[in-house]
């Protein structure tokens, strides 16, 4: 098996590791800001992500180090404190969240490395959580259940996010997008037509999930819950609990802001189902139209757009993309554009000329893996 690059790097730096785990980032084709309303999404896992190498210690400490120590300061946590450790607002919180799902049985040294840009809307934070959770999980762990556990554990960082990112990281399948439903989590793999190319372009505007944008994200979560209750969802219910036949009623919400927010979420959920049909029919122009109307809704109605990402979307259109949109939580981060294998290079070049720091064609890839380290006994892992 070819090890993902960051896993090779952490093993090279910790040759006596007994165990390693890798979890990928994701792009979301469509179904943005729908997961925390209990409505479907359509992401796929990337070939890039976060890796952790582990070796046992003879004490009860969990010692965390990163291959880039200047950006990610080391931490030492007594194992017994994992469960109650207050959050610190650093990368360490995400590792702690993952370890809480499946704690180590002894003290461990952990070494982390990543080849995924941070805060680029590609879900580096959930990759951290999932890699940490998979490290000490039983070999036959139920990944649907683990993804739900990881999503719940990650909320400890303070973002009231849905479960898309963790599910994509743990359930990803090469060549396929995942049509995900929630409560309970269910996944249907939908093949991406071979001719399709999804170009990802990073605007360079950082969108840190745990940073100042957390409040703006959580505000939308709360607005959706308020709209759900006004639309007759049962107590504690979500927009996804409002029957489809009632969706048009969002037009009658008295508060214009809630009306726009709920209207976007219902329209985005409908676009997500339509996108699955378009994928199955290999109808890339239709899929592109859906992406572009998602972008408009995210920008105008949901107000999570950013001018730098808008510029990338416009450039992609001008270069012949079927459609393009801001991806992930928004407020910056990356844009995706849908083209063909033939047009992808020109679309990527146009997006770089419009300000993207980096671009790549995203290949739907396998979900997280756990392997024995270079120093492990045969058959471990
Ligand atoms: C972040 C969250 C996800 C999802 C997206 C927006 O990535 O972690 O749960 O809500 O934003 O679609």
């Amino acid at each position: 098996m070819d090890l993902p690059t960051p896993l090779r790097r952490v093993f090279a730096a910790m040759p006596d590791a007994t165990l390693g785990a890798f979890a990928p980032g994701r792009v979301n084709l469509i179904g943005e800001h729908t997961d925390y309303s209990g409505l479907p999404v359509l992401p796929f896992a990337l070939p890039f992500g976060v890796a952790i190498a582990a070796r046992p210690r003879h004490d009860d400490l969990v010692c965390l180090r990163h291959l880039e120590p200047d950006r990610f300061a080391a931490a030492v946590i007594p194992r017994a404190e994992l469960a109650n450790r207050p959050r610190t607002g650093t990368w360490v919180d995400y590792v702690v969240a993952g370890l809480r799902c499946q704690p180590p049985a002894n003290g461990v040294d952990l070494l982390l490395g990543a080849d995924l840009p941070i805060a680029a809307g590609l879900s580096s934070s959930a990759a951290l959580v999932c890699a940490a959770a998979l490290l000490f999980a039983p070999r036959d762990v139920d990944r649907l259940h683990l993804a739900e556990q990881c999503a719940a554990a990650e909320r400890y960082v303070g973002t009231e996010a849905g479960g898309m990112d963790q599910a994509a990281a743990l359930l990803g399948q090469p060549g396929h997008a995942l049509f995900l439903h929630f409560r309970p989590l269910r996944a249907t793999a939908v093949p991406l037509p071979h001719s399709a190319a999804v170009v990802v372009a990073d605007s360079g505007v950082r969108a840190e999930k745990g940073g100042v944008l957390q409040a703006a994200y959580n505000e939308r979560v709360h607005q959706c819950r308020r709209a759900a209750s006004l639309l007759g969802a049962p107590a504690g219910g979500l927009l996804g609990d409002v029957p489809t036949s009632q969706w048009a009623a969002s037009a009658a919400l008295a508060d214009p802001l809630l009306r726009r927010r709920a209207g976007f979420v219902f329209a985005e959920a409908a676009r997500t189902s339509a996108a699955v049909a378009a994928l199955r029919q290999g109808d890339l122009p239709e899929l592109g139209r859906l992406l572009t109307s998602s972008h408009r809704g995210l920008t105008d109605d949901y107000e999570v757009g950013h001018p730098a990402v808008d510029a990338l979307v416009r450039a992609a259109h001008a270069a012949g993309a079927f459609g393009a949109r801001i991806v992930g939580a928004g407020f910056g981060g990356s844009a995706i554009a849908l083209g063909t294998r033939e047009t992808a290079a020109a679309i990527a070049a146009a997006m770089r000329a419009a300000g993207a720091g980096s671009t790549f064609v995203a290949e739907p890839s396998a979900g997280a893996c756990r392997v024995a380290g270079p120093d492990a006994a045969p058959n471990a892992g």
Side-chain angles (χ1 to χ4, degrees), residues 31 35 79 96 98 142 163 189 219 232 237-238 251 258 292-293 340 347 363 372:
D35 59 353
R79 207 166 54 88
V96 168
D142 173 350
E219 184 184 44
L238 304 176
L258 293 189
T292 299
S293 59
T340 61
I347 294 169
E363 298 290 345

Side-chain angles (χ1 to χ4, degrees), residues 26 28 31-33 35-36 161-165 209 217 328-329:
R26 58 101 189 93
N28 185 19
E32 212 66 271
H33 285 279
D35 59 353
Y36 52 77
M164 163 170 67
D165 307 341
K209 215 187 204 175
Y217 182 98

Side-chain angles (χ1 to χ4, degrees), residues 54-63 77-80 82 99 102-110 136:
R55 71 179 165 212
R57 291 177 59 90
H58 297 297
D59 56 22
D60 228 19
L61 299 176
V62 176
C63 298
I77 306 165
R79 207 166 54 88
L82 279 176
L99 293 176
Q102 296 287 335
N106 310 93
V108 280
D109 285 324
L110 301 180
F136 304 108

Side-chain angles (χ1 to χ4, degrees), residues 251-307:
L253 282 172
D255 178 335
L257 184 64
L258 293 189
R259 185 157 70 230
R260 275 193 292 132
R261 299 289 197 255
F264 164 79
V265 171
F266 290 138
E268 183 73 355
R271 281 190 287 265
T272 307
S273 303
V276 171
L279 271 184
R280 290 201 167 118
Q281 287 154 16
D283 188 347
L284 298 185
E286 171 62 6
L287 183 59
R289 273 192 292 278
L290 294 164
L291 296 193
T292 299
S293 59
S294 167
H295 180 73
R296 255 185 245 119
L298 286 162
T299 307
D300 300 341
D301 298 327
Y302 221 64
E303 297 174 284
V304 296
H306 192 284

Side-chain angles (χ1 to χ4, degrees), residues 105-170:
N106 310 93
V108 280
D109 285 324
L110 301 180
L111 178 64
L112 283 89
D115 63 351
L116 185 71
I118 303 280
L122 303 178
S123 200
S124 54
S125 48
L128 257 182
V129 176
C130 293
L134 197 59
L135 208 45
F136 304 108
R139 206 188 275 217
D140 60 350
V141 66
D142 173 350
R143 287 192 175 218
L144 286 168
H145 178 62
L146 188 63
E148 286 181 322
Q149 260 192 310
C150 286
E154 190 177 327
R155 290 187 195 114
Y156 134 85
V157 303
T159 310
E160 297 179 56
M164 163 170 67
D165 307 341
Q166 301 78 6
L170 285 164

